Amino acid sequence: MSRYVVVTDDPGLPGRIGAAATGPLQGDVHRWQGGRLPGRPADVRSQLERPADLEVLILGPGMPLELALTLATAFDVECPEVAVLLAAQPDPGVVLAALRAGVLDLLEPEAGADEVAALLHRAVRSAALYRRAVPVEQTKAEAPAGRVIAVVSPKGGVGKTTIASNLAVGLAKSAPHGTVLVDLDLQFGDVASALAISAEHSVSDAVHGPARRDTMVLKTFLSAHPSGLYALCAPDSPDAAEGLTGEDVAHLLGQLASQYRFVVVDTAPGLSDHTLAALDQATDFVFVTGPDVPGVRGMRRELDVLAELGMHPLKRHMVLNGADFKAGVSLRDVETALGTSVDVVIPRSRAVALSTNQGSPLLNGTVRGPATKALQKLLARFVAPAALPRRFGPRHRVGAK
């Protein structure tokens, strides 16, 4: 099988790839043959006896950068199950262009055997996980749009961001580089803190200019997390989101859903125009409430308002967070007040508070306990084998009464 294909004028690179591809990385290395360099995925596959075996494509050195990036973009669109590596020096301009083209990693031409093996391991793992999540036989044209998961609550302080960040990190493990978390709490969002990342760009940057017109540019506005998750964080200043409309939010989520398998949206408390726009795009609503009486009553009112607006997702998930039934409110009391069942109960836990303060979601680590188990139960509602749902039907005017 031809697991690796190398397009290069360096006669020694295929041998170095083969030497690094040992153990679970083992596989045939095919070097592009022909005087004319390939410009389309079909050109590359035409030289392979079993094109479906291709997992990793290495471009360069010796391949013109513009042609390499064009080919990488074509693979990202037509054959996303193939991981593309670019052999080039990692200067900022090349890194930015490679990211826009869907390149997974840069391979420095003089990289040692250990570094080459590490890059191959990451590429093979990425290809394998993508194939597991989306069958290779399913073409890009046939594939449905990504699943948009809105995490909502009528009030703050119930752990909504904690739930959203854990869910996104967990989904990223099943769909690495295919999951994005959007912080739609534009005034006081703290997704960046929950993930311990420093974001160069924010939602307000991404809805204007070239990013609005070009999804490849939009990808460069996302911040990478070590878990394989991407995040689009809230602005640093509460004033930065002024002028951002519900239509902007809807357009942004539509762009992301066309590129990513899972789009998790951490909304602001309440039902602002931004939140309603997100709900209008969502396939799933994840409602988060605490076990206190005011919180449960607020959630019931929110459910009633959404019902009046005719906003019914295909899938709804009710989460009771920070549960402590010794405080006088039982699960039965909560369900009676809500008028619906609770799907996931996350107990009050010191581990949750500690992980939030450290910027390390529980599902990103190895901490075990009741809270982790409950979060995994929530995650299982999305990653269990099932066809991705369609959105819930005709769109409703944002803010309709």
Side-chain angles (χ1 to χ4, degrees):
M1 63 177 233
S2 295
R3 193 177 197 180
Y4 309 95
V5 170
V6 186
V7 183
T8 182
D9 64 358
D10 179 354
L13 183 58
R16 291 167 56 206
I17 297 294
T22 59
L25 299 176
Q26 191 169 4
D28 292 342
V29 181
H30 176 87
R31 182 180 177 187
W32 171 259
Q33 305 292 329
R36 189 164 131 185
L37 293 170
R40 302 174 305 158
D43 297 335
V44 176
R45 293 181 176 276
S46 68
Q47 290 197 359
L48 306 178
E49 291 184 11
R50 296 173 56 186
D53 288 341
L54 175 60
E55 295 182 31
V56 182
L57 175 68
I58 300 101
L59 303 177
M63 189 176 188
L65 180 61
E66 184 175 351
L67 180 59
L69 295 177
T70 298
L71 183 57
T73 300
F75 264 92
D76 188 46
V77 173
E78 299 177 31
C79 311
E81 73 281 0
V82 177
V84 179
L85 303 180
L86 177 66
Q89 295 295 340
D91 66 74
V94 172
V95 172
L96 182 61
L99 178 62
R100 290 174 177 169
V103 172
L104 179 65
D105 270 313
L106 259 63
L107 172 64
E108 294 189 44
E110 303 303 322
D114 289 345
E115 186 176 350
V116 172
L119 290 176
L120 292 183
H121 183 273
R122 189 153 56 241
V124 168
R125 181 175 181 273
S126 176
L129 287 171
Y130 189 95
R131 289 167 190 247
R132 191 183 311 157
V134 181
V136 176
E137 293 79 9
Q138 187 180 45
T139 66
K140 194 79 171 182
E142 295 170 338
R147 199 163 172 175
V148 179
I149 304 165
V151 184
V152 295
S153 176
K155 58 177 290 187
V158 297
K160 183 169 46 59
T161 299
T162 297
I163 301 297
S165 57
N166 272 281
L167 180 58
V169 164
L171 290 171
K173 291 184 177 181
S174 67
H177 310 294
T179 303
V180 61
L181 173 59
V182 180
D183 192 345
L184 210 57
D185 188 349
L186 299 176
Q187 288 190 311
F188 304 108
D190 52 7
V191 161
S193 175
L195 297 176
I197 58 176
S198 178
E200 294 184 14
H201 302 286
S202 71
V203 172
S204 58
D205 300 321
V207 298
H208 303 298
R212 185 181 179 90
R213 300 186 296 270
D214 188 340
T215 55
M216 293 299 126
V217 177
L218 175 60
K219 287 183 176 183
T220 68
F221 283 70
L222 307 181
S223 300
H225 185 262
S227 65
L229 168 71
Y230 292 110
L232 186 56
C233 299
D236 290 333
S237 170
D239 297 333
E242 287 187 6
L244 192 149
T245 66
E247 182 184 356
D248 292 331
V249 170
H251 181 80
L252 172 65
L253 297 182
Q255 283 183 288
L256 293 172
S258 74
Q259 300 292 312
Y260 294 92
R261 184 167 172 78
F262 297 106
V263 180
V264 181
V265 186
D266 182 19
T267 64
L271 292 175
S272 67
D273 282 352
H274 298 149
T275 296
L276 287 170
L279 293 176
D280 200 42
Q281 293 290 314
T283 57
D284 298 74
F285 296 175
V286 177
F287 292 107
V288 182
T289 184
D292 58 287
V293 173
V296 173
R297 287 179 175 171
M299 177 59 73
R300 177 57 185 263
R301 287 195 295 271
E302 180 161 286
L303 294 174
D304 290 342
V305 170
L306 292 176
E308 290 175 7
L309 294 175
M311 303 187 78
H312 304 285
L314 186 61
K315 289 186 177 292
R316 189 175 78 176
H317 317 267
M318 182 63 69
V319 178
L320 179 62
N321 190 37
D324 180 3
F325 298 123
K326 296 178 181 179
V329 179
S330 68
L331 178 59
R332 183 175 179 179
D333 294 334
V334 171
E335 292 181 329
T336 299
L338 291 175
T340 187
S341 60
V342 172
D343 300 301
V344 179
V345 177
I346 302 175
R348 184 179 299 279
S349 169
R350 181 176 177 273
V352 172
L354 184 61
S355 69
T356 300
N357 291 335
Q358 293 178 338
S360 178
L362 282 180
L363 293 189
N364 193 43
T366 58
V367 177
R368 298 173 181 256
T372 302
K373 186 175 181 180
L375 288 167
Q376 289 171 338
K377 180 180 178 181
L378 175 62
L379 177 64
R381 297 176 67 86
F382 298 91
V383 296
L388 292 179
R390 295 183 180 180
R391 292 187 174 85
F392 56 78
R395 294 290 173 262
H396 304 278
R397 182 173 62 85
V398 173
K401 301 295 184 185

